[in-house]
Amino acid sequence: MAQDAPAGAALDAAPLAPDFAPHPPGPPLAALTVEGDWLSAAWSDGLSRRFYAPWLRENAVQAGVDPVTRERGLDLSLMAPPRLQGAEEASGVVTLSWAGEASPTRHLLGWLRDAAEGRGLAQAGLPAQTPWDAAAMPEPISFDGPAALSDDAVLQDWLVATRRYGLARLRGLGGDHGTVQRVAERVGVVRSSSFGFLFDVESKPDPDSAAYTSDALTGHTDLPTREMQPGLQLLHCRENGCTDGFSTMADGFAIADALREEEPETFEALTTLPWVFTNRHRSFDYRQSRPIVALGPDGAVREVAYSNALRAEPDMEEGDVPRAYAAMRRMMQLAASSRFLCRYPFAPGDLVIFDNRRILHGRDRFTPQTGTRRLQGCYLDTDELLSRLRVLHRNGRA
Amino acid sequence: MAQDAPAGAALDAAPLAPDFAPHPPGPPLAALTVEGDWLSAAWSDGLSRRFYAPWLRENAVQAGVDPVTRERGLDLSLMAPPRLQGAEEASGVVTLSWAGEASPTRHLLGWLRDAAEGRGLAQAGLPAQTPWDAAAMPEPISFDGPAALSDDAVLQDWLVATRRYGLARLRGLGGDHGTVQRVAERVGVVRSSSFGFLFDVESKPDPDSAAYTSDALTGHTDLPTREMQPGLQLLHCRENGCTDGFSTMADGFAIADALREEEPETFEALTTLPWVFTNRHRSFDYRQSRPIVALGPDGAVREVAYSNALRAEPDMEEGDVPRAYAAMRRMMQLAASSRFLCRYPFAPGDLVIFDNRRILHGRDRFTPQTGTRRLQGCYLDTDELLSRLRVLHRNGRA
């Protein structure tokens, strides 16, 4: 397995993989042959794969990748293409020789095996996303809050559920200011916004958002006014004396999937007709034009973006406007329906995390006279969740 | 013109536009007629436009939009569609009556005119992006740094140049720690990352990036490992006693446009074949799979993402790998060529801002023995630039 080496260590002590992931040796090789610009490897369990020689050359530690930063120093655009001449393997190390180069490069066989299995790809090891309706999710799946702060296994379980369902809850966290930041930083770097690094959700004078009133909020995503909506929102209930003001969550992916099947014209309008979403404010003017439902290159639903409060101009041909309104109306009716709506009280010490590009979140109107309701929240980008999931997965494999 | 009103003010004192933008009255109306679900407006200068009645109803202040937050409170998905019955205009105010509603809604005629002109759309008022080569940009276009901090007109000129060319410089800012943050916050909210809220670019022990060595850096974008690369990077030169280590900038849009015309096969490979970019680190594992050049829905080049240091696996069919390498190599050769490379010394007190999703930035190797070289940087998202440009444009129009 690759070990870290201090800068300037001799070659023999240098790491043999260009990254910090563990690379268990895997099964023994059955064959290793040079075929022109390709290295062909076959393992005893039947897996085989061809590796492009320039890719091997530029991923060699020290000869291609700096052993300290693990960033590539070699730049193939500045040199003649490397030509592979020979390959051999011994004791889990693959040694490659190159035309015109005095020294061979050395590579960990386990790293090659992991590449053959696709473990270097972006989606490797990430949980699948599972759509849900109200029957499947009567309330958020819950985990022990203090344990998630101290125990990586609990953190991993909570984040796997977050990725899978787009919604998961920690309980028992008390009511301290800044708890939401401590939890968020267990995952990664907080994303700030014009609403602050952390935001306090409570009734306030001269509010710049309906969130800061006691009004009901119908299902929405936050910051559809930005090119990339925050990937995750964390909301911590610090105090709640109100008996009303229940939280609401609906899975936008499940609703869009249902519409694709049941009402294809509605789905088509939602995925193709863009609206401008705007934060109307004295000192900023964020705007983004986007359809309510965005599809990925594979045609699957990738993102939902909607806020009735922030929806401004239909950015489409005049003739499309009536069906855009009808489709919006239909989707939001489903989002508020008993078929899809998860509705539950928000108890002090609870913290919910949800995928802000998938889940439509809201709340019932509350009655401030019955008690104090104080939430604190912040955002994280999806990058942070996926990075933390990969590291927890990597560490579990080590 | 719309005036702000305190919460609970009487209708007569309420604003008549759902946003904070100025809405000059514009030319007089020539005709205003109700046609089913549409309001048809024609102005004396020949402009005419039809407005969908539900859109007017939900943008009425107080009846649809909260006069304090300027967010919409009315939710059309919870009610029967509003039916427009009558329309009249007097003294720059349009009054609309609705079936089954006792009170009419009132709208500023200037707001309707601005909507007819498309001023509510996301791209309204933004400068066009102009590609450049080395001949057109021998060094960054420069503005007075202290003036940009205090004078909105200078700030606007600097940010218009930033949007237009993806690169602009402030001079005369001195060398204080945190200056880059003061400048960034004139634009908007700083984007933090795993490299910090601000980052200090200087040689350091145990570096986690080649930026923190004295090595040459070939042209690259920062954080192609993230789903959305930071839109802007700001770099402030606090101190520089090195006579080498020149800065380099190349316009990735111009290079991609040239390849589209001159080498369509290279362009096709760059825009369709994705690579995984990875930050290899002990405690995080950011990965993103993307082509080097991304096109927008209109087919225009929208984003460039490349770092030789962070490029990991080709995420494509085996047969595509050789042409992906050839295309990468070709683009990076152009990025380093005298045709496209802007190369200049980085003087103390200078601060450059550049579009990190367009410009490939780098530096020559420097010799730390000849002097101290200390830069400080941070990121902003494109949203912040566009919001600030819109507000400056709005204020200039008021």
Side-chain angles (χ1 to χ4, degrees):
Chain A
M1 216 185 96
Q3 297 295 322
D4 295 336
L11 180 62
D12 284 352
L16 293 176
D19 57 25
F20 289 97
H23 296 291
L29 274 181
L32 189 69
T33 51
V34 176
E35 299 167 358
D37 281 333
W38 298 86
L39 176 70
S40 181
W43 280 266
S44 59
D45 65 350
L47 183 69
S48 67
R49 168 95 189 267
R50 298 209 311 158
F51 301 94
Y52 191 53
W55 182 75
L56 293 166
R57 179 65 186 79
E58 66 174 358
N59 280 294
V61 181
Q62 277 190 337
V65 169
D66 185 285
V68 177
T69 63
R70 307 289 170 103
E71 291 188 349
R72 180 172 303 112
L74 188 78
D75 192 328
L76 289 183
S77 73
L78 305 177
M79 56 187 273
R83 298 290 172 201
L84 182 59
Q85 279 191 319
E88 58 184 34
E89 185 265 343
S91 305
V93 175
V94 173
T95 302
L96 304 178
S97 57
W98 302 88
E101 297 195 51
S103 301
T105 59
R106 301 197 307 155
H107 309 260
L108 207 63
L109 178 60
W111 172 74
L112 267 192
R113 171 73 190 197
D114 282 348
E117 291 180 7
R119 290 182 186 268
L121 299 179
Q123 295 308 312
L126 297 178
Q129 295 179 290
T130 307
W132 52 264
D133 59 15
M137 188 76 67
E139 62 180 325
I141 297 170
S142 299
F143 300 85
D144 183 76
L149 280 169
S150 60
D151 181 340
D152 276 0
V154 177
L155 179 68
Q156 187 172 20
D157 288 347
W158 178 54
L159 295 182
V160 165
T162 298
R163 178 64 178 171
R164 199 177 294 290
Y165 304 109
L167 172 65
R169 180 169 61 184
L170 298 181
R171 313 206 76 164
L173 282 166
D176 285 354
H177 181 283
T179 295
V180 72
Q181 180 180 350
R182 284 179 63 211
V183 172
E185 290 179 348
R186 280 285 278 164
V187 185
V189 178
V190 170
R191 171 167 162 177
S192 195
S193 80
S194 56
F195 294 100
F197 181 80
L198 308 182
F199 45 84
D200 293 295
V201 184
E202 45 196 274
S203 290
K204 26 183 129 161
D206 195 28
D208 61 355
S209 164
Y212 307 140
T213 67
S214 58
D215 293 347
L217 299 176
T218 51
H220 64 284
T221 58
D222 273 21
L223 308 197
T225 55
R226 308 304 204 275
E227 184 171 353
M228 188 175 75
Q229 302 181 102
L232 295 164
Q233 183 171 166
L234 289 82
L235 275 179
H236 172 219
C237 182
R238 299 181 57 204
E239 186 177 358
N240 192 358
C242 303
T243 50
D244 47 7
F246 277 29
S247 293
T248 63
M249 298 277 172
D251 183 356
F253 285 7
I255 297 167
D257 286 345
L259 286 170
R260 187 203 295 261
E261 180 137 340
E262 298 163 17
E263 304 177 32
E265 288 178 13
T266 299
F267 182 79
E268 197 273 337
L270 290 167
T271 54
T272 59
L273 301 176
W275 295 83
V276 179
F277 293 91
T278 308
N279 281 107
R280 293 157 168 165
H281 195 275
R282 286 177 186 81
S283 57
F284 49 77
D285 189 344
Y286 298 104
R287 300 183 192 182
Q288 188 62 37
S289 178
R290 62 189 343 143
I292 294 170
V293 177
L295 305 181
D298 59 353
V301 174
R302 186 178 57 183
E303 183 162 5
V304 171
Y306 190 76
S307 166
N308 180 64
L310 307 179
R311 182 173 47 73
E313 312 235 354
D315 188 9
M316 59 191 76
E317 299 295 319
E318 187 185 294
D320 290 325
V321 172
R323 66 189 182 97
Y325 267 92
M328 172 278 291
R329 182 184 164 87
R330 180 64 186 138
M331 176 155 181
M332 295 311 135
Q333 285 170 345
L334 281 178
S337 72
S338 59
R339 177 176 172 193
F340 286 106
L341 197 68
C342 171
R343 187 170 168 281
Y344 58 93
F346 204 178
D350 282 1
L351 184 153
V352 286
I353 189 171
F354 55 90
D355 184 334
N356 182 60
R357 298 160 74 189
R358 167 177 174 183
I359 303 294
L360 296 155
H361 71 287
R363 69 160 185 242
D364 298 343
R365 166 178 285 278
F366 64 92
T367 315
Q369 293 77 7
T370 64
T372 302
R373 185 182 193 274
R374 299 168 75 201
L375 312 183
Q376 193 168 53
C378 68
Y379 301 119
L380 288 168
D381 275 329
T382 307
D383 294 314
E384 305 298 327
L385 172 66
L386 303 189
S387 170
R388 184 59 51 213
L389 280 168
R390 290 189 195 102
V391 170
L392 292 166
H393 182 75
R394 176 212 291 178
N395 292 348
R397 191 170 175 243
Chain B
M1 217 185 94
Q3 295 297 322
D4 295 335
L11 179 62
D12 284 350
L16 293 177
D19 57 26
F20 290 96
H23 297 290
L29 275 181
L32 190 69
T33 52
V34 176
E35 300 166 359
D37 281 332
W38 299 85
L39 176 71
S40 182
W43 280 266
S44 59
D45 65 348
L47 183 68
S48 67
R49 168 95 189 267
R50 300 208 312 159
F51 301 94
Y52 192 52
W55 182 76
L56 293 166
R57 179 65 186 80
E58 66 175 358
N59 281 295
V61 181
Q62 277 191 336
V65 169
D66 185 285
V68 178
T69 63
R70 307 289 169 103
E71 291 188 350
R72 181 172 301 112
L74 187 79
D75 191 329
L76 289 182
S77 73
L78 306 176
M79 56 186 274
R83 298 290 172 200
L84 181 60
Q85 277 190 320
E88 58 185 35
E89 186 264 342
S91 305
V93 175
V94 173
T95 302
L96 304 177
S97 58
W98 302 90
E101 297 195 52
S103 301
T105 58
R106 302 198 306 156
H107 310 259
L108 208 61
L109 177 60
W111 172 74
L112 267 192
R113 171 73 190 197
D114 282 348
E117 290 181 7
R119 290 182 186 266
L121 300 179
Q123 295 307 313
L126 297 177
Q129 295 178 291
T130 307
W132 51 265
D133 60 15
M137 188 78 68
E139 62 179 326
I141 298 171
S142 300
F143 300 85
D144 183 76
L149 281 169
S150 60
D151 181 339
D152 276 0
V154 178
L155 179 68
Q156 186 172 21
D157 289 346
W158 178 54
L159 295 182
V160 165
T162 299
R163 178 63 179 173
R164 198 177 294 290
Y165 304 108
L167 172 64
R169 180 168 63 183
L170 296 182
R171 312 205 79 164
L173 282 166
D176 285 354
H177 180 284
T179 295
V180 72
Q181 180 180 350
R182 284 180 63 212
V183 173
E185 291 180 347
R186 280 283 278 162
V187 186
V189 177
V190 170
R191 171 168 162 177
S192 195
S193 80
S194 57
F195 294 99
F197 179 79
L198 307 183
F199 45 86
D200 292 294
V201 184
E202 44 196 274
S203 289
K204 24 184 131 163
D206 195 27
D208 60 356
S209 164
Y212 306 140
T213 67
S214 59
D215 293 347
L217 300 176
T218 50
H220 64 284
T221 58
D222 272 21
L223 309 196
T225 54
R226 308 305 205 275
E227 184 171 354
M228 187 174 75
Q229 302 182 101
L232 295 165
Q233 182 170 166
L234 289 82
L235 275 179
H236 172 220
C237 182
R238 299 181 57 205
E239 187 177 357
N240 192 359
C242 302
T243 51
D244 48 6
F246 276 30
S247 294
T248 63
M249 298 276 170
D251 184 356
F253 285 8
I255 298 167
D257 286 345
L259 286 170
R260 187 204 295 260
E261 180 137 339
E262 298 163 17
E263 303 177 32
E265 288 177 12
T266 298
F267 183 79
E268 197 273 339
L270 289 167
T271 53
T272 59
L273 301 176
W275 295 84
V276 180
F277 292 91
T278 309
N279 280 106
R280 294 157 167 165
H281 196 275
R282 287 177 185 83
S283 56
F284 49 77
D285 189 344
Y286 299 103
R287 300 182 193 183
Q288 189 62 38
S289 178
R290 62 188 343 142
I292 293 171
V293 177
L295 305 181
D298 59 354
V301 173
R302 187 178 55 185
E303 184 163 5
V304 171
Y306 189 76
S307 166
N308 180 65
L310 308 178
R311 181 173 46 75
E313 313 235 353
D315 187 11
M316 57 191 77
E317 298 296 320
E318 186 184 295
D320 290 324
V321 172
R323 67 188 182 98
Y325 267 92
M328 172 276 292
R329 180 184 166 86
R330 181 63 187 137
M331 177 155 182
M332 294 311 135
Q333 285 170 346
L334 282 179
S337 72
S338 59
R339 176 176 173 194
F340 287 107
L341 196 68
C342 171
R343 187 171 167 278
Y344 59 94
F346 204 176
D350 282 359
L351 184 152
V352 286
I353 188 171
F354 55 90
D355 184 335
N356 182 61
R357 299 161 72 187
R358 167 177 175 182
I359 303 295
L360 295 155
H361 71 286
R363 70 160 184 241
D364 299 341
R365 166 179 285 279
F366 65 92
T367 315
Q369 292 77 7
T370 64
T372 303
R373 185 183 192 274
R374 299 167 74 201
L375 312 183
Q376 192 167 54
C378 68
Y379 301 120
L380 288 168
D381 275 328
T382 308
D383 294 314
E384 304 298 327
L385 172 66
L386 302 190
S387 170
R388 185 58 51 213
L389 280 168
R390 289 188 197 103
V391 170
L392 292 166
H393 182 75
R394 176 212 291 176
N395 292 348
R397 191 172 175 244

